[in-house]
Amino acid sequence: MADRPNVLIVDDERDLADLYASWLADDYAVETAYDGTTAVERVDESVDVVLLDRRMPGMSGDEVLQKVRAEFPECAVAMITAVDPDFDILEMGFDAYITKPVEESQLGDVIDRLLRRSEYTKTVREFFMRLSQREALLAELPKSELESDERFQSLEAEIQELRAESESHMEELSGDDFEALFYRLDA
C-alpha cells in the first residue's frame, strides 16, 4: 500500500514495541527503535507520528521529545508510557499522552486523531500563506492587472480550494482536537 503514514515506535521493551508494530503494520509504515539515541537518528521529515515511551535507559523519552520538537516540529508525538501524568507534563510538547497498558484499538485511534490534526494544520498554514500572498499582490498591483493575470486567478482558485479543504478537516475534528491544534499553533 503506497503512501501509508510513517509511524516510529520507541520503547526499550522490545517485545512491547514489536507487539505495537505488529498491531499497526497493516495500516501504517512502521519502524521501531529500542532506545532514545536510535530514535533520534531515525526521525526525519518522513516520520508522521512517533509513539514514545517516556522512561528508557540512556536517553529518556522526555529528551527524545525535546529533540524531535526542535528539529521536526510538525511530527506528531504520542507519549505511550507507564508513568502516570503529573504536573511535570505541563512543560512537555507532546500531542497525546496514553498510560500503559494500551489496547490495539487505542493505538490506531490516537494515530488517526494525530494525523487528522496534522493534515488540518498543514492545510491552514498553506491557506494563510496564500492569503498573505494575495494581500501583498493586492497592495502593490492595480486590481485591473491582477484580474487579467492567469497566475492571480490560479491563486484565487487555490485559496478557495484550501478554504473548503480546511472547513472539511474542521468538521472531522472533535472539540478537544480543535483546542489542541490551536494550543500547538500558539506554542
Side-chain angles (χ1 to χ4, degrees), residues 8 10 31-43 59 64:
L8 175 63
V10 185
E31 261 193 276
T32 54
Y34 305 115
D35 61 76
T37 303
T38 304
V40 169
E41 292 169 358
R42 289 195 181 155
V43 174
M59 185 182 292
V64 172

Side-chain angles (χ1 to χ4, degrees), residues 4 7-11 13-34 42 51 104 107 111:
R4 295 186 307 164
V7 176
L8 175 63
I9 300 167
V10 185
D11 200 311
E13 293 182 50
R14 288 176 176 267
D15 291 343
L16 194 54
D18 292 342
L19 176 64
Y20 294 166
S22 70
W23 287 350
L24 300 172
D26 288 343
D27 297 317
Y28 309 100
V30 180
E31 261 193 276
T32 54
Y34 305 115
R42 289 195 181 155
L51 302 180
E104 183 175 354
L107 285 183
I111 292 168

